[in-house]
Amino acid sequence: NAGVTQTPKFQVLKTGQSMTLQCAQDMNHNSMYWYRQDPGMGLRLIYYSASEGTTDKGEVPNGYNVSRLNKREFSLRLESAAPSQTSVYFCASSVTGYSGNTIYFGEGSWLTVV
Amino acid sequence: QKEVEQDPGPLSVPEGAIVSLNCTYSNSAFQYFMWYRQYSRKGPELLMYTYSSGNKEDGRFTAQVDKSSKYISLFIRDSQPSDSATYLCAMKGSSNTGKLIFGQGTTLQVKP
């Protein structure tokens, strides 16, 4: 059971380039999330998807787009990368439908924008 | 002011010490409280989960929630070098989504 799988694990981009971070979960969870983690800031929610076909903005959505491809997969796209998007990105998933749910994280994707 | 405040440390203790990690929060709607452990270059993993006020114990770990003071704690007894990691508190309200608000994380080093 792999849990939450993210690719790529490391990526260096030039300013203005685009890229997509891929995420897949095999826990049959309805909800999926993208967080970013920066020093001194903790984890901040970028976008989330409560169920297949729906997406909503989180705390820091600017500069990102997402696609919930199916129940398993949730991708994060940077259309025109900026140095401020240098960060560690975590995908996560959870069960939906009761208030006591919690989320499970992937291993992270380290992104550097130069 | 952040909704959740956590002392970033770093915190360094000798092996066998009792460790206390703390978070304060401002949103009285928070009802679910979690502690995640994150090893270097890894994703956060759920360590403890508590609903509302009270204590919860799991082996060497005890989580405490005091909603009246808006204060949560994680205690680690008989700390081990393998406990060296960053500990993140997280919390949420009663909605059925998993959207969490995280503290900044406290880096703990347990020296042999």
Side-chain angles (χ1 to χ4, degrees):
Chain A
N1 189 344
V4 179
T5 304
Q6 298 178 227
T7 57
K9 192 165 181 71
F10 300 99
Q11 183 73 49
V12 179
L13 285 179
K14 293 182 179 178
T15 298
Q17 286 186 321
S18 63
M19 79 158 296
T20 299
L21 299 175
Q22 306 286 354
C23 176
Q25 54 90 11
D26 61 4
M27 295 177 282
N28 201 33
H29 287 167
N30 299 96
S31 297
M32 297 186 73
Y33 312 83
W34 278 105
Y35 282 85
R36 61 178 286 174
Q37 186 174 34
D38 302 290
M41 301 295 291
L43 285 137
R44 293 180 292 168
L45 183 64
I46 304 171
Y47 270 93
Y48 72 100
S49 171
S51 62
E52 186 178 350
T54 68
T55 60
D56 284 288
K57 295 178 181 179
E59 184 183 354
V60 288
N62 291 345
Y64 305 95
N65 285 303
V66 290
S67 295
R68 184 71 183 268
L69 305 171
N70 48 56
K71 189 173 184 179
R72 291 185 64 249
E73 298 173 290
F74 189 39
S75 62
L76 178 72
R77 183 162 178 84
L78 286 70
E79 292 290 353
S80 179
S84 60
Q85 294 178 304
T86 294
S87 187
V88 184
Y89 292 85
F90 289 98
C91 179
S93 70
S94 72
V95 174
T96 305
Y98 75 106
S99 54
N101 55 8
T102 190
I103 66 176
Y104 299 89
F105 288 87
E107 294 275 275
S109 296
W110 274 255
L111 176 65
T112 302
V113 182
V114 298
Chain B
Q1 185 180 1
K2 296 181 189 293
E3 276 191 288
V4 180
E5 296 278 0
Q6 184 176 4
D7 185 342
L11 182 61
S12 182
V13 301
E15 183 176 353
I18 296 174
V19 176
S20 172
L21 304 168
N22 311 294
C23 288
T24 59
Y25 63 95
S26 57
N27 190 340
S28 57
F30 289 148
Q31 294 190 31
Y32 297 90
F33 304 91
M34 285 139 275
W35 286 95
Y36 282 82
R37 179 174 60 195
Q38 185 177 23
Y39 291 115
S40 180
R41 297 283 184 176
K42 296 291 186 182
E45 57 178 340
L46 182 65
L47 189 61
M48 298 286 284
Y49 179 97
T50 309
Y51 170 68
S52 194
S53 286
N55 295 357
K56 185 173 184 179
E57 187 173 321
D58 184 1
R60 296 184 295 110
F61 299 89
T62 299
Q64 288 186 351
V65 175
D66 182 348
K67 291 189 70 179
S68 63
S69 301
K70 297 189 178 66
Y71 188 87
I72 70 171
S73 300
L74 177 70
F75 296 96
I76 307 174
R77 292 184 299 281
D78 188 25
S79 56
Q80 302 295 310
S82 59
D83 295 327
S84 297
T86 297
Y87 290 81
L88 297 140
C89 64
M91 46 199 81
K92 66 186 286 286
S94 60
S95 74
N96 63 4
T97 72
K99 290 167 61 180
L100 300 177
I101 305 299
F102 283 86
Q104 299 95 312
T106 300
T107 299
L108 170 68
Q109 184 181 27
V110 181
K111 295 183 176 180

